[in-house]
Amino acid sequence: MAGFGKALAAMDAAIMSALNDGTCDYQGQHGEPPVYGIEVLIDHNLQRVGPDGVFRSDAVGITWKKRDLASVTRGGIFQQGCKRYSVEDVIEDDGHLVSAACMEVR
């Protein structure tokens, strides 16, 4: 299985380098030190699944490599330039890439 893990890590790296939207900094809610320069994918108008099917939301999806940032907390802030995104919920964590639904802070 070590070969599969290496292949999965190589695939994640290729995806991030080809599709990334730059870097963000992250500051948690509980005074932990900030994390700088996290390579991210940003998806606006995130689609969510609800009881009535798939719908488009105002949420922004932010995806990063778990090795760069192990976890986030609700209310934590991603900042990219002058844009700030507040974490609402972690929606995916496959052990390599993590995605969170966020709301833009205006």
Side-chain angles (χ1 to χ4, degrees), residues 12-13 15-25 36-41 62-65 67-68 78 97:
D12 289 344
I15 289 168
M16 289 300 286
S17 67
L19 301 176
N20 81 69
D21 293 302
T23 61
C24 282
D25 300 330
Y36 299 105
I38 305 160
E39 194 172 42
V40 295
L41 303 173
I62 297 183
T63 302
W64 66 94
K65 290 182 270 187
R67 72 169 189 230
D68 294 342
F78 281 100
L97 296 175

Side-chain angles (χ1 to χ4, degrees), residues 2-3 6 11 13 19 31 34-35 49 56 78-79 90 92 96 103:
K6 286 182 182 180
M11 181 183 69
L19 301 176
V35 180
V49 176
R56 181 181 263 180
F78 281 100
Q79 183 160 351
V90 172
E92 180 96 27
H96 295 278
M103 296 302 291

Side-chain angles (χ1 to χ4, degrees), residues 12-84:
D12 289 344
I15 289 168
M16 289 300 286
S17 67
L19 301 176
N20 81 69
D21 293 302
T23 61
C24 282
D25 300 330
Y26 175 77
Q27 177 63 59
Q29 277 291 92
H30 306 292
E32 55 268 25
V35 180
Y36 299 105
I38 305 160
E39 194 172 42
V40 295
L41 303 173
I42 299 178
D43 298 308
H44 295 275
N45 298 317
L46 192 65
Q47 291 184 352
R48 304 292 302 259
V49 176
D52 296 325
V54 177
F55 63 96
R56 181 181 263 180
S57 71
D58 291 336
V60 176
I62 297 183
T63 302
W64 66 94
K65 290 182 270 187
K66 189 164 188 165
R67 72 169 189 230
D68 294 342
L69 178 63
S71 65
V72 296
T73 56
R74 182 177 177 88
I77 300 290
F78 281 100
Q79 183 160 351
Q80 184 183 48
C82 62
K83 292 191 176 189
R84 295 166 35 101

Side-chain angles (χ1 to χ4, degrees), residues 1-9:
M1 283 287 196
F4 178 75
K6 286 182 182 180
L8 188 58

